[in-house]
Amino acid sequence: MPDSAPPAPPAAAGCLVHVAVNTPAHSAVGGLLTYASTQPLPPGTLVRVPLGTREVLGVAWDAPADATALPPGTAPRAVAGVLDGVQPLQAAWRRLVAFTARYYQRALGEVALAALPPQLRDLTPAQMARRLRRPAAPPVDAQEPAKTIALTAEQASACGQIDSQPGPFLLYGSTGSGKTEVYLHCVQQALATAPEAQALVMVPEINLTPQLEARFRERFAPLYGEAAVVSLHSGMTNPQRLKSWLAAHTGAARIVLGTRMAVFASLPGLALIVVDEEHDASYKQQEGARYSARDLAVWRGREQGAKVILGSATPSLESWHASSPEVGRYQRLHMPSRIGAGELPRLRLVDMAQQPRGAVFAPPLVAAITERVERGEQCLVLLNRRGFAPVLHCHDCGWKSDCPHCSAHQVFHKSDRTLRCHHCGFAQRVPRACPACGNPDIAPVGRGTEQLEEQLAALLRNVITPERRAARVARIDADTTRAKGALEEQLAQVHAGEVDVLVGTQMIAKGHDFRRITLVAAVQPDGALFSSDFRAPERLFALLLQAAGRAGRDARYVAAQGQPPEMWVQTWHPDHAVYAALRRHDYPAFAARQLAERQEAGMPPFAHQALVRADARTQEAAQAFLQGAADAASAAALPGMDDVFLFPPVPLAVQRVAGVERAQMLLESPSRAALQRFLAAWQPLLHAERARHKGLARWLVDVDPQAI
Ligand code: ADP
Ligand code: ZN
Ligand code: ZN
């Protein structure tokens, strides 16, 4: 205990230890500092050390290869205390952290400390001791018979392969094909191999963890006790996070369920990692170290000898390519059939050119929704834009509701009469008249979920359900779910059948098991077809197929109702290849086409990318920094340079946010290793360049960026 230890003697008495601490980002210090200790500290030991005027948490680290004595004349400060009772973090964990820092170009200490629960830092030694002493739930000694479902042939085949092959595996299975059941089965197998074996199961969204947790708890609490299953995600309080983290670290938890941050959980017995919905963009962290939890899962699995299963109905093109026979890095397992659910919904493409001008909802779609609601079925209407309208406009003088701080419009929110910027959060009351010319007649242009909800309610106002009540339209998006528990409550209403038509953003398209939804409609999905981001079609296809998967999940219900489920898409481009593939639910055809295009254009996964972003007071300053850094790289003829192509600096699509100008520079290379070599060598030049540009607010590197 630090408080019972003798007062720390001056440095000379003990030995030197290297400690990973979170020094402010981009400081010249890489994150390992040298401290003096009275006793040798094994790498991985959690310590408290002085840093400037503060005392901070640190992790004793392996001596770096180039460890040298301190600069002459400097004496190391002494380690202030050791977190006794917490076992040192394993070498495998330290390697994961070191790899992440190196690969994503961040300081080691920053990554290490961000991977630990914040409360570790705040607890006094006495509090920590109490927490560790807290008795774990007694182990279940009488093993109850495991509650298992008889696997289908497809599931059994997938499980058999996973059992007998090394992986990593890409489990490509339709929505409702029983992927979760495969995860449960494989977790059970993995845990049975050794009493200390652990499994990590990741999902993209916090709001999907409760459902998953319930399913895992039901299966594994009878076998291993309630304490064996824990969650780990950013929606938890700090004490909850610490509790889960300690349970995983001590081995008391056998199964950790979590979002992307869980990839860094300390799991000494890790035997299996599952990444569900592996294509989901939320596995990529968007600040600090911009890591991909999916990619790190694969790396960690290989390092720590754990099997890895990536699962999806619409795999990322990266994973799909990696699992192709030509590449063969992943093993592809296919489960095409839906269990207990009928056919996937039939696609109905509505050509908007054939509809009345300005119609938000095509009349045939309104008729179809009406029919479903009158039969007591539920419908889901998707639009990926919240608010009432994306902009207000004055037809007299051309004024638009621009955000004063961003190069973006302020979105009109009708319910609270505000104009809100979705980039910087700036909000204002809606003006009574045009601020430029006084015209009282300013009009919303375009549409958001709020408007859809209002219009649908009006269109369906005379529609009566079989229970003889008026049709109910409800909306779920980021605006309606801000309050804690609001989402759960709204979802419960849908499940209870109190809602007939659910309007919302992509939030409602993922994962939810709505039993009575038989019609899904995407109102305005075309935007993504012509986006400048080459991943937009991939995301659109995944979203629409996911959304389609919400319809007709209960085959018996569908059969009883007598009308097959449908997916409606309103489009101006009914002949587009994306929709043609969607019509046949043909992900492989879609993927093959996209991959051919990407290969042709030399884009990922056939090339590797990184972005350098700069934020500054002016666009010129931001771009000057990037250009300066590029010039410095050529002048220094950095290693890897011959294989790396640097594009010229350009403004971001939304160029100014909260008064800050943003620019980026894309780097591309056919070789991941060359790009990595180049980035590592470039890092010091970027730091040096920064000092030359006074107007620069910050810069960052994004390796394998998700959005260009
Ligand atoms: P996915 O994760 O692929 O969407 P799930 O694992 O959630 O699919 O399975 C879909 C539905 O089928 C669930 O209600 C699940 O309980 C059920 N199910 C899965 N496997 C089986 C099985 N082998 N036998 C019976 N029902 C199953
Ligand atoms: Zn005006
Ligand atoms: Zn703004």
Side-chain angles (χ1 to χ4, degrees), residues 149-152 155 174-181 215 339 553:
I149 292 181
L151 298 177
T152 65
Q155 286 171 327
S174 311
T175 49
S177 63
K179 292 186 291 297
T180 310
E181 200 53 50
R215 235 164 128 179
I339 298 171
R553 291 184 72 81

Side-chain angles (χ1 to χ4, degrees), residues 403 405-406 421 423-426 658:
C403 174
H405 309 293
C406 306
C421 174
H423 296 278
C424 73
F426 181 72

Side-chain angles (χ1 to χ4, degrees), residues 130-173:
R130 256 203 312 282
R131 234 152 267 241
L132 286 164
R133 228 180 295 121
R134 198 172 285 170
V140 185
D141 36 28
Q143 288 234 336
E144 287 179 37
K147 225 187 288 158
T148 45
I149 292 181
L151 298 177
T152 65
E154 284 175 11
Q155 286 171 327
S157 156
C159 290
Q161 300 252 29
I162 293 168
D163 204 33
S164 59
Q165 310 279 325
F169 302 93
L170 176 66
L171 181 59
Y172 163 52

Side-chain angles (χ1 to χ4, degrees), residues 354-369:
Q354 308 296 321
Q355 302 304 316
R357 251 180 72 102
V360 177
F361 292 98
L365 174 57
V366 177
I369 291 176

Side-chain angles (χ1 to χ4, degrees), residues 507-528:
M507 221 169 163
I508 53 172
K510 291 184 195 170
H512 304 289
D513 193 15
F514 301 121
R515 307 305 289 179
R516 281 173 50 201
I517 286 185
T518 55
L519 184 151
V520 174
V523 175
Q524 208 177 39
D526 284 346

